[in-house]
Amino acid sequence: MILDKETLRANLDKVIWNIEQARISVSEHHIVKLVTVAKYTDVENIATLYELGQRAFGENQVQQLRERMAQLEDLPLEWHMIGRLQKNKINNLIDLRPSLMQSLDSFELAQEMQKKLKAKEAKMHCLLQINAAKEESKAGVMPEAALETYLQIKAECPNITLKGVMTIGAHTDDTKAIQESFETTHRIYENLEKEGATICSMGMSGDYELAIKCGSNLVRIGSALFRN
Ligand SMILES: *Cc1c(COP(=O)(O)O)cnc(C)c1O
């Protein structure tokens, strides 16, 4: 559905206000980046949000990412890959040169990406995805293996530049459990700061304020921005 500019402006203002309130409650120095997740919305709405000042957009499929980058190539947008990456799509993703690949979810995937990046003499900025609540339905490395995996990728995959971690909050109505999944991820992030990690990506439409209070500095928001 194509939304009018005033609707998108109202949604964006509300989200930015909520982010502001949550981040100030942590610290005035705690800066949070907003990445708009466009996967369920029409391309026209992306262009309108750009006019309203939004620059960073995320997609969860390589195919959709490619189509939208092409459709919007005249706009100076920043694109993030946030979904599961199949091995046979790695080369396609490399060719798109996304600004950040947030869903690097195993050492095996990192090795495959390293081979293909090297062959193309390319580099990619990535986040290590953590399966903080240990859910079978979710991708990502287990929290207890995260530190070691991060260091292993850093050591063995020189064409991948790791910038931090990403998680999807626990899939439950139990706020305490969601909070724990964010706290677990943030603890890992803190341990990785000395390794150069600067991004802790957590929080979606239903839980971004909680995520920010747990230390997130990048939120990925879709549905809250595209309500009418
Ligand atoms: C879809 C998606 C989001 C955004 O979800 P909303 O609940 O619509 O805000 C964030 N992160 C990832 C990885 C997603 O797949």
Side-chain angles (χ1 to χ4, degrees):
M1 194 193 339
I2 300 174
L3 297 168
D4 62 55
K5 195 168 185 174
E6 288 321 305
T7 303
L8 285 169
R9 189 197 303 276
N11 291 346
L12 182 61
D13 281 356
K14 183 145 194 279
V15 166
I16 289 174
W17 173 253
N18 291 340
I19 290 173
E20 219 27 43
Q21 298 288 102
R23 75 161 194 93
I24 295 291
S25 79
V26 177
S27 154
E28 283 179 6
H29 304 288
H30 187 65
I31 305 301
V32 176
K33 180 182 175 100
L34 168 61
V35 174
T36 301
V37 177
K39 66 190 182 204
Y40 300 129
T41 199
D42 293 297
V43 70
E44 289 84 353
N45 295 333
I46 301 177
T48 308
L49 278 172
Y50 166 75
E51 290 171 17
L52 293 167
Q54 186 56 20
R55 293 291 180 276
F57 294 87
E59 290 289 345
N60 68 341
Q61 285 178 11
V62 175
Q63 178 63 28
Q64 178 131 306
L65 185 62
R66 176 167 47 199
E67 284 168 17
R68 289 180 160 190
M69 282 175 128
Q71 286 169 307
L72 298 166
E73 67 179 347
D74 293 341
L75 305 181
L77 304 180
E78 175 187 318
W79 290 98
H80 294 231
M81 170 65 182
I82 60 165
R84 208 175 281 212
L85 178 61
Q86 291 163 308
K87 294 211 170 98
N88 62 357
K89 299 280 168 60
I90 294 174
N91 275 326
N92 294 345
L93 184 67
I94 294 172
D95 294 341
L96 293 176
R97 310 176 111 268
S99 153
L100 185 64
M101 151 62 173
Q102 298 204 12
S103 43
L104 175 52
D105 57 17
S106 70
F107 182 62
E108 290 66 42
L109 179 61
Q111 283 178 309
E112 288 294 319
M113 286 175 66
Q114 169 57 32
K115 267 190 241 160
K116 299 190 160 141
L117 284 164
K118 190 171 175 208
K120 287 176 177 282
E121 293 180 37
K123 293 207 166 194
M124 201 181 294
H125 287 185
C126 296
L127 302 181
L128 182 64
Q129 183 174 349
I130 311 223
N131 188 351
K134 306 187 179 185
E135 291 159 302
E136 253 177 55
S137 59
K138 280 202 191 118
V141 301
M142 290 296 147
E144 56 275 9
L147 222 57
E148 195 189 330
T149 305
Y150 197 98
L151 296 178
Q152 205 173 8
I153 294 170
K154 256 190 95 173
E156 295 181 35
C157 306
N159 295 60
I160 291 176
T161 308
L162 281 175
K163 306 292 284 182
V165 294
M166 183 273 253
T167 202
I168 298 172
H171 185 70
T172 167
D173 294 331
D174 178 0
T175 308
K176 197 90 196 68
I178 300 171
Q179 183 173 335
E180 274 166 25
S181 68
F182 290 150
E183 286 169 350
T184 298
T185 305
H186 190 255
R187 267 197 300 278
I188 295 165
Y189 169 70
E190 282 180 315
N191 277 313
L192 290 169
E193 280 182 303
K194 60 179 176 300
E195 302 294 335
T198 56
I199 301 175
C200 180
S201 171
M202 346 188 260
M204 318 194 335
S205 291
D207 54 23
Y208 62 98
E209 291 151 287
L210 177 60
I212 291 166
K213 287 175 185 161
C214 294
S216 165
N217 62 15
L218 186 157
V219 291
R220 310 173 308 269
I221 299 187
S223 41
L225 288 168
F226 300 112
R227 294 193 176 124
N228 66 340

